[in-house]
Amino acid sequence: MGYLLANDGLKGKAGSAFMVKNGRNIELFGLKKFEANAEFETSEFPVVGALVNQTKVKGVKYSGTLTIYYGTPEFLDVLTEFKRTGKLPEINFQVINQDKGASVGDQIVAIYGVTLSKIPIAMLDDSVDYLQEEIPFTFTDFEPLESFHTPSQLGGN
């Protein structure tokens, strides 16, 4: 049985992310962390005569969070645009894992129909060296534009 070699462990900092707002690409240059997830929504399926309640998937919910150093004006601009017009701008994300030292290649994922759930308006904090903001979001779809491939070599072979 093979195993993953350390050289193919992906570095967390190796990559980038972009916000596409109203068709404009904006690099998230102060990004600290980005995570997007799918959570299956399920319901129990009890049947007379069965001791076990079964579970059935009835849908999926997409959500995520990004943590960025405070001072990126694009997020407050979203809120300001909504406040003034009553309309949220169209937002998508594109996240790229790109560790040149790993043989698995790159992964690029597009995340569509983003709705930001909470946007900080102003911040001060005497207990931190650098202000950062965490922005939760939901989204309606995603598409892998490029996927990792099998490592060129496995250990134990």
Side-chain angles (χ1 to χ4, degrees):
M1 183 170 142
Y3 54 87
L4 185 67
L5 295 173
N7 287 344
D8 287 321
L10 295 166
K11 294 179 190 125
K13 293 181 180 183
S16 57
F18 295 84
M19 177 170 61
V20 182
K21 185 174 85 173
N22 292 332
R24 199 175 109 232
N25 285 338
I26 302 155
E27 184 171 8
L28 298 176
F29 52 83
L31 187 68
K32 289 194 63 175
K33 183 178 180 181
F34 188 101
E35 186 174 336
N37 300 294
E39 181 180 343
F40 289 107
E41 296 175 333
T42 61
S43 62
E44 288 193 13
F45 187 79
V47 178
V48 172
L51 296 176
V52 175
N53 281 346
Q54 301 172 63
T55 303
K56 182 173 181 169
V57 174
K58 60 181 184 177
V60 66
K61 179 181 178 183
Y62 300 131
S63 63
T65 57
L66 67 94
T67 304
I68 193 163
Y69 285 110
Y70 184 65
T72 304
E74 301 296 340
F75 298 106
L76 190 56
D77 289 349
V78 168
L79 179 61
T80 303
E81 182 175 334
F82 180 74
K83 181 183 92 161
R84 291 185 179 149
T85 68
K87 183 177 180 223
L88 280 171
E90 181 182 326
I91 297 173
N92 301 312
F93 289 125
Q94 184 170 308
V95 180
I96 305 162
N97 294 94
Q98 194 171 43
D99 186 344
K100 298 294 184 195
S103 71
V104 296
D106 300 342
Q107 176 172 278
I108 303 171
V109 176
I111 297 168
Y112 302 113
V114 173
T115 300
L116 304 175
S117 304
K118 183 175 105 175
I119 300 170
I121 294 174
M123 298 176 88
L124 293 172
D125 187 340
D126 74 344
S127 68
V128 299
D129 290 331
Y130 305 102
L131 290 172
Q132 57 190 18
E133 52 190 321
E134 183 174 282
I135 300 173
F137 60 91
T138 58
F139 56 102
T140 58
D141 202 4
F142 75 96
E143 186 69 37
L145 304 177
E146 188 174 331
S147 296
F148 296 125
H149 52 266
T150 305
S152 60
Q153 182 179 356
L154 296 174
N157 292 335

